[in-house]
Each structure stands twice: as structure tokens, then as C-alpha cells.
Amino acid sequence: MASILKVDTLTGKTSAGNITVTSGSATMQLQEGVATAKICGDQSATVQSDSFNIASGLDAGTGNFRFTLINASARITWNQTSAGIANGATAVLRTKSANATTSVIDIETMNSSFSAADAAYSFIYMGDLA
């Protein structure tokens, strides 16, 4: 018989953020496998309604966008994993560090020649929150 767990908050027993997930013999911290921000945006850095943990967007020039996190990262030199797509795979999306801070994600969209170009995009950020 399957069980259903319904809760509003998960808090670790040892410390609030220490929630361990075990699958077979593999163990990991729950928060390390959860996306901490999602951006769905357009060429003017407009944050779409299905984005989360994003306070605002800034169009910083052709193909350059900065997004302010509602909940900041733990450090500027994040150990981040990110994935994104721009213009339905006709453009490339990459993260940048030039203007990144603990509360700002800096991204760039480029055309197939890797030159900065405006494009619609979706982006998922995974990193430790402060």
C-alpha cells in the first residue's frame, strides 16, 4: 500500500537545512537537488508569470540580462548548475560572472555565431541559497 505524506514545511532534525534523501545506497542533501530559481523571459528582460525566486529583470544591452533573486545565493562564486534554452534552440544561453552577485544572475543570449543577440529564453538555476 502506498503512503502519502502531506506537509507544509520540511525541517531537518539536526539543523533546519539538513534534510537527507536516500535512494538505494546513494544519499544526498535535498536542497542540493532542487532548482532555486527559474526565469522565463523575453528580449526586454520581462519576467514571465511562471518564473520563481526572481524579483526583477534588467535589459543590460543586446543579449545581456540580469535578474535579481528574491532569496539570495550563499556566495558570489556559486557552485552553480544552470540549464537554459533561447529562442527554441536557435540561440545559445550562457551564464556570466561579470555582473553577478549573491543576489544577481547575469546571463547572455547569443546567435548561432556566438555573437550577442536578443532572444526569448528559459533558464533554471541550481545553487545554495543564503
Side-chain angles (χ1 to χ4, degrees):
M1 180 170 145
S3 296
I4 297 173
L5 175 66
K6 294 182 179 183
V7 297
D8 292 323
T9 304
L10 291 174
T11 303
K13 183 177 176 183
T14 306
S15 67
N18 188 7
I19 300 170
T20 303
V21 177
T22 303
S23 178
S25 61
T27 302
M28 67 176 268
Q29 297 296 108
L30 176 65
Q31 64 273 27
E32 291 181 7
V34 176
T36 53
K38 175 185 168 193
I39 304 164
C40 296
D42 62 17
Q43 296 88 334
S44 62
T46 301
V47 178
Q48 306 298 318
S49 61
D50 55 349
S51 298
F52 71 88
N53 195 23
I54 302 297
S56 62
L58 170 69
D59 183 345
T62 303
N64 290 292
F65 308 97
R66 294 184 202 126
F67 294 92
T68 303
L69 296 170
I70 293 169
N71 299 296
S73 295
R75 56 197 152 281
I76 294 173
T77 54
W78 339 290
N79 181 9
Q80 74 168 15
T81 300
S82 55
I85 187 166
N87 252 12
T90 60
V92 177
L93 180 140
R94 73 178 184 108
T95 56
K96 301 179 351 179
S97 60
N99 295 294
T101 68
T102 57
S103 59
V104 174
I105 296 173
D106 190 11
I107 67 171
E108 180 179 31
T109 55
M110 299 172 284
N111 61 24
S112 59
S113 299
F114 297 100
S115 297
D118 286 336
Y121 46 86
S122 295
F123 177 80
I124 297 171
Y125 169 75
M126 298 177 77
D128 295 334
L129 294 177

